[in-house]
Amino acid sequence: MKKFLKFILFTVILLAGLGFAAFYFGTNLASEKVMDAVTTELENSGQKEEVKAYIENDPELKKFVEEAETADESKLPFTTKEEATRVLVKKVGVSELKNIQSKVQEGSITKDEVLQMMQKDLTEEEIAALKVIAYKELYNK
């Protein structure tokens, strides 16, 4: 009986460890693929410059992104694109991100609606970190 309990306990711990590893590495893999696809698409299509021009011409968005200049990066929960993507994949989900992207491209969602959706799923610190990353990407800093 004692050996049987040890076997069951070992099996449960092993399965839990494997499940955690699959979740962690699966999320990392998904976030890396999403980040690579988005970066490649923006750079190859010239949309990065369009996004930059759109932000420059919209005072509200420009102010929103420029808040990143004064942010204290040591207090941010993440500082790289990869970490940001991982957080977005975990908290928002790939399907929801794709849904938001398609709505933005169609023009069927406003920037305020996108911000509300992100504020619902992310903390203020995470949004600040996203601003810093966006600022660095757009202005090559």
Side-chain angles (χ1 to χ4, degrees), residues 51-102:
V51 169
K52 189 174 178 179
Y54 184 80
I55 290 172
E56 292 292 327
N57 293 328
D58 186 326
E60 187 180 338
L61 272 179
K62 187 174 180 179
K63 180 180 177 255
F64 183 80
V65 172
E66 287 180 345
E67 290 173 1
E69 272 187 300
T70 58
D72 182 4
E73 290 188 41
S74 66
K75 295 181 181 178
L76 298 176
F78 50 83
T79 56
T80 66
K81 293 185 295 186
E82 292 76 15
E83 292 170 322
T85 306
R86 192 175 306 126
V87 169
L88 286 171
V89 166
K90 284 181 184 176
K91 290 198 167 188
V92 179
V94 174
S95 60
E96 184 63 22
L97 289 170
K98 285 185 176 183
N99 184 32
I100 292 170
Q101 179 188 19
S102 66

Side-chain angles (χ1 to χ4, degrees), residues 3 14-16 18 26 32 35-36 41 46 55 71 75 86 93 100 112 117-118 124 138:
K3 281 188 176 184
L14 180 66
L15 289 175
L18 289 173
E32 286 176 24
M35 193 65 237
D36 289 342
E41 183 179 329
I55 290 172
K75 295 181 181 178
R86 192 175 306 126
I100 292 170
D112 292 330
M117 293 171 83
M118 291 298 110
E124 289 295 321
L138 289 172

Side-chain angles (χ1 to χ4, degrees), residues 31-58:
S31 66
E32 286 176 24
K33 285 188 175 200
V34 168
M35 193 65 237
D36 289 342
V38 169
T39 301
T40 303
E41 183 179 329
L42 283 175
E43 289 174 355
N44 291 343
S45 67
Q47 287 180 333
K48 185 175 179 178
E49 291 305 315
E50 288 178 31
V51 169
K52 189 174 178 179
Y54 184 80
I55 290 172
E56 292 292 327
N57 293 328
D58 186 326

